[in-house]
Amino acid sequence: MRKILVLLATTFAFISCNKALENQYLITGTAKGVENGKKYS
């Protein structure tokens, strides 16, 4: 049972960290006073 939990946790961590493409970063959060969906460079 413990091996299954470790395998599931490892798989989940790998999948969740694999969302951004190579040489890209994904940052999520909230900022007061910024319109929803507005992009800043």
Side-chain angles (χ1 to χ4, degrees):
M1 181 69 177
R2 187 173 185 186
K3 289 182 182 181
I4 293 172
L5 291 176
V6 171
L7 179 64
L8 288 174
T10 304
T11 303
F12 177 74
F14 180 74
I15 291 171
S16 65
C17 293
N18 210 9
K19 289 182 181 178
L21 299 175
E22 187 176 332
N23 295 329
Q24 292 183 348
Y25 297 96
L26 177 64
I27 301 173
T28 58
T30 58
K32 292 181 182 179
V34 177
E35 295 178 27
N36 189 20
K38 184 88 172 180
K39 293 183 180 181
Y40 293 92
S41 305

